[in-house]
Amino acid sequence: MLNPIWLKTFVTLVDTGHFTQAAEKLFMTQPGVSQHINKLEKACGHLLITRGKKSFVITEQGRLVYRYAKSLERNEEALIEQLAFDDPYSGECTLACSGSVALMLYPKLLEEQVKHPNIIIKMKAAPYHQILSDIKKGTVDQGIVTDIPNKIYFETKVLGEEELCLVVPSRVDTNVNKATLLMNLGLILHPDAKHYLSLFIAKNYKTELGQLNINSLPVVGFINQINQILEPIANGIGFTVLPKSAVDSFHNKQGLQVIKPDNTVIETLYLVTQKNRVLPARFETLNKVIDSAWK
Amino acid sequence: MLNPIWLKTFVTLVDTGHFTQAAEKLFMTQPGVSQHINKLEKACGHLLITRGKKSFVITEQGRLVYRYAKSLERNEEALIEQLAFDDPYSGECTLACSGSVALMLYPKLLEEQVKHPNIIIKMKAAPYHQILSDIKKGTVDQGIVTDIPNKIYFETKVLGEEELCLVVPSRVDTNVNKATLLMNLGLILHPDAKHYLSLFIAKNYKTELGQLNINSLPVVGFINQINQILEPIANGIGFTVLPKSAVDSFHNKQGLQVIKPDNTVIETLYLVTQKNRVLPARFETLNKVIDSAWK
DNA sequence: TTATTTCGATAATATTTTGTTATGAGGTTG
DNA sequence: CAACCTCATAACAAAATATTATCGAAATAA
């Protein structure tokens, strides 16, 4: 490994052209300089200078190492400067959430990135457990989920609420027994479908759906692209449960029919971060936008 | 200064998530890891991890340092690799020579750069003494000059020869005493004018010019752009001495008259490098072109 | 030329830095 | 609650590093 102190000595040596002068400049003794150069040459595996009796000439390798040392110095300075300066309008922000939240949130975040081009938004649509494991690993800074995770590892803050919609094809007659209706249609599966459906059933149609086993429902499709989940339903195939925002943004709404339930089903959204992790200033900028999305 | 060993320890710590495991991986003890991190934090001036009782969370500064450490590692590897590999078709070649040599040589070298785009030719037209001082400083790799420099500091190799031409305006009657002719015309000065003129006089017109003092010649112009030196002469003003190649490439030759001397005046061109400096392989590629320019 | 000074290399020694062992405090697990 | 982890700290041992002393060769001055 190339010790930066040796590199600095080498740079000074090359700049001054004299071992003695370099030593003076560095407040050390001349043999010290000699030793640094020897060690650096050993570490590099190449002679960095060609020694004459009283003078030296830098080798090609020496030139390369000299340039490297200079750039190292600059890089290190830049790093130290960066460490002290927590810019609220620059840096990477990685967040993960469900596809439907992403669908609604990402455009708003992009507006912010347009305002402050040095903020870089990285959005990952993922299922619940992956969001949590990514936050725990630290590969994702923040997540938005619909369940409160383990308080030992995560910090949680309520963001807002979203209405869940049971969506069926527009042609279907909904004035029938709901269990029969859904069994006949079959489920269009997506990453959060079963979770949403169970929330929905827990609050509605208990008498009709009470004994319905979600896992025994026929599955008539699967898609994990949020903007395509409603496609089969608009074509008359299956049903699903989705947040209202996802339904609203669908391009072909006349193909759909949202069943108005007796009790509105609300899921709470939580902003989740790693426990004890202090996020940099740019997340305040970001979270203003996220907060306002549910206001 | 950020010790690369501490940085490596820090990277390992972050990767493993455990002091003990990091220590094992690095064949050291756990307190050693603790100390490395402490020292690194002190050197950075920031906490890199937030310590829990049995675990830690990386801080924003820690993330920056982690990224820096990773890139440092890559850069160092790249350097070491580069040191061992002397590519004949890539790298910078800086050379210095007179304007007239540059005029002739640079196009040929550019052809070579087109063939091998990773070779970067840097050509500096400069007077004799500056060429030598640049080579001695090491800011220029090679020079082409017309005098053998001090053998203590430089290595010299004969490149070829060039004919010198005494150039006067085309309208002038040359069948007169040469001293009178030149005194009446006056010298168009350029960086090598006096040197060339002295070479010329030493071999020709000794009887006529014997007592002519170059420094007392009237100077009627000065220009250090090689392709413009002959401009005043083509306009009927002054005389000068230049290599034949520079005269040949002049755009308005009918305005000029080259005085045919009794003894052709030849200047020898020398390729000069710093003493004891071994040039990298790309200079072999380059010097083939340079050699062939005078063949 | 010879004496003097300058410059870098080397060896021996002193000092500082670094790594290890030993130990303790706090937390988790069975 | 005992056994077991994990990390921090202190004391000490080991290694790395810097200094002093000295030499030889070359440049400079006399």
Side-chain angles (χ1 to χ4, degrees), chain A residues 97-102 126 128 144-147 162-166 187-188 190-204 214 226 229 239-246 265-269:
Chain A
C97 57
S98 68
S100 58
V101 171
Y128 181 73
I144 296 170
V145 296
T146 54
D147 261 328
E162 256 211 326
E163 193 182 333
L164 289 184
C165 300
L166 175 63
L187 179 63
I188 296 296
H190 61 79
D192 291 308
K194 288 186 179 177
H195 174 59
Y196 289 160
L197 182 56
S198 64
L199 288 175
F200 204 90
I201 293 175
K203 282 201 132 190
N204 288 286
I214 291 181
I226 184 70
I229 292 173
F239 78 96
T240 200
V241 183
L242 269 184
K244 188 167 177 299
S245 62
V265 182
I266 298 294
E267 63 163 2
T268 309
L269 293 169

Side-chain angles (χ1 to χ4, degrees), chain A residues 179-251:
Chain A
T180 318
L181 176 69
L182 300 186
M183 286 297 280
N184 285 342
L185 279 169
L187 179 63
I188 296 296
L189 208 57
H190 61 79
D192 291 308
K194 288 186 179 177
H195 174 59
Y196 289 160
L197 182 56
S198 64
L199 288 175
F200 204 90
I201 293 175
K203 282 201 132 190
N204 288 286
Y205 314 122
K206 280 203 184 135
T207 48
E208 293 179 30
L209 295 175
Q211 69 277 54
L212 186 71
N213 181 357
I214 291 181
N215 288 313
S216 67
L217 259 174
V219 171
V220 296
F222 171 83
I223 176 79
N224 59 357
Q225 293 297 303
I226 184 70
N227 58 338
Q228 293 179 286
I229 292 173
L230 296 172
E231 215 62 71
I233 300 168
N235 283 285
I237 301 163
F239 78 96
T240 200
V241 183
L242 269 184
K244 188 167 177 299
S245 62
V247 180
D248 288 344
S249 74
F250 187 61
H251 67 97

Side-chain angles (χ1 to χ4, degrees), chain A residues 6-202:
Chain A
W6 303 342
L7 288 171
K8 193 173 186 186
T9 304
F10 179 62
V11 167
T12 312
L13 174 69
V14 171
D15 287 342
T16 60
H18 294 266
F19 281 69
T20 324
Q21 284 178 35
E24 249 178 70
K25 252 195 169 175
L26 296 166
F27 303 103
M28 58 194 289
T29 55
Q30 170 266 311
V33 175
S34 278
Q35 288 176 27
H36 277 193
I37 305 307
N38 286 337
K39 282 173 186 169
L40 188 61
E41 286 183 325
K42 212 170 175 183
C44 291
H46 295 271
L47 289 176
L48 303 179
I49 54 175
T50 308
R51 279 152 242 254
K53 286 298 174 182
K54 288 189 69 162
S55 63
F56 66 87
V57 168
I58 185 167
T59 64
E60 181 61 17
Q61 282 84 8
R63 278 161 204 278
L64 292 170
V65 171
Y66 180 87
R67 266 199 270 172
Y68 173 78
K70 287 282 212 181
S71 82
L72 181 81
E73 207 177 331
R74 281 195 300 275
N75 289 343
E76 200 173 299
E77 270 174 33
L79 172 73
I80 298 296
E81 200 172 307
Q82 206 186 351
L83 289 183
F85 183 59
D86 189 6
D87 186 343
Y89 302 114
S90 119
E92 236 179 66
C93 299
T94 308
L95 68 162
C97 57
S98 68
S100 58
V101 171
L103 187 66
M104 181 268 232
L105 195 57
Y106 192 53
K108 296 179 203 284
L109 296 177
L110 279 183
E111 274 175 40
E112 199 64 17
Q113 183 169 350
V114 168
K115 266 192 244 160
H116 310 292
N118 292 325
I119 288 189
I120 292 160
I121 308 289
K122 295 199 172 175
M123 167 75 88
K124 181 178 179 182
Y128 181 73
H129 287 293
Q130 197 180 339
I131 293 174
L132 295 189
S133 92
D134 281 350
I135 292 173
K136 204 170 165 192
K137 266 189 295 174
T139 55
V140 156
D141 301 312
Q142 282 189 333
I144 296 170
V145 296
T146 54
D147 261 328
I148 300 180
N150 191 334
K151 295 203 167 183
I152 297 175
Y153 302 120
F154 301 101
E155 261 155 42
T156 305
K157 183 194 149 194
V158 172
L159 259 188
E161 296 176 331
E162 256 211 326
E163 193 182 333
L164 289 184
C165 300
L166 175 63
V167 190
V168 298
S170 53
R171 309 249 184 100
V172 166
D173 177 15
T174 57
N175 290 323
V176 296
N177 176 281
K178 292 294 181 298
T180 318
L181 176 69
L182 300 186
M183 286 297 280
N184 285 342
L185 279 169
L187 179 63
I188 296 296
L189 208 57
H190 61 79
D192 291 308
K194 288 186 179 177
H195 174 59
Y196 289 160
L197 182 56
S198 64
L199 288 175
F200 204 90
I201 293 175

Side-chain angles (χ1 to χ4, degrees), chain B residues 219-263:
Chain B
V219 172
V220 296
F222 171 82
I223 175 80
N224 60 357
Q225 292 298 302
I226 184 71
N227 58 340
Q228 294 178 286
I229 292 173
L230 296 172
E231 215 63 70
I233 300 169
N235 284 284
I237 302 163
F239 78 95
T240 199
V241 183
L242 270 184
K244 190 166 177 298
S245 62
V247 180
D248 288 343
S249 74
F250 188 61
H251 67 98
N252 183 16
K253 279 197 281 280
Q254 64 266 46
L256 306 176
Q257 183 177 182
V258 175
I259 297 182
K260 197 82 199 152
D262 302 335
N263 306 307

Side-chain angles (χ1 to χ4, degrees), chain B residues 231-293:
Chain B
E231 215 63 70
I233 300 169
N235 284 284
I237 302 163
F239 78 95
T240 199
V241 183
L242 270 184
K244 190 166 177 298
S245 62
V247 180
D248 288 343
S249 74
F250 188 61
H251 67 98
N252 183 16
K253 279 197 281 280
Q254 64 266 46
L256 306 176
Q257 183 177 182
V258 175
I259 297 182
K260 197 82 199 152
D262 302 335
N263 306 307
T264 319
V265 182
I266 299 294
E267 62 162 3
T268 309
L269 293 169
Y270 303 95
L271 188 68
V272 178
T273 52
Q274 193 177 19
K275 185 100 178 183
N276 292 325
R277 176 163 175 211
V278 179
L279 291 177
R282 58 184 179 272
F283 281 91
E284 280 179 41
T285 310
L286 194 76
N287 287 348
K288 272 182 205 159
V289 179
I290 295 178
D291 275 332
S292 70

Side-chain angles (χ1 to χ4, degrees), chain B residues 155-175:
Chain B
E155 260 155 43
T156 307
K157 183 193 148 195
V158 173
L159 259 188
E161 296 176 331
E162 257 212 324
E163 193 181 334
L164 289 184
C165 298
L166 176 63
V167 190
V168 297
S170 52
R171 309 252 184 100
V172 165
D173 177 15
T174 57
N175 289 324

Side-chain angles (χ1 to χ4, degrees), chain B residues 57-69:
Chain B
V57 169
I58 185 166
T59 65
E60 181 61 17
Q61 282 83 9
R63 277 160 205 278
L64 292 170
V65 171
Y66 180 87
R67 266 200 270 171
Y68 174 78

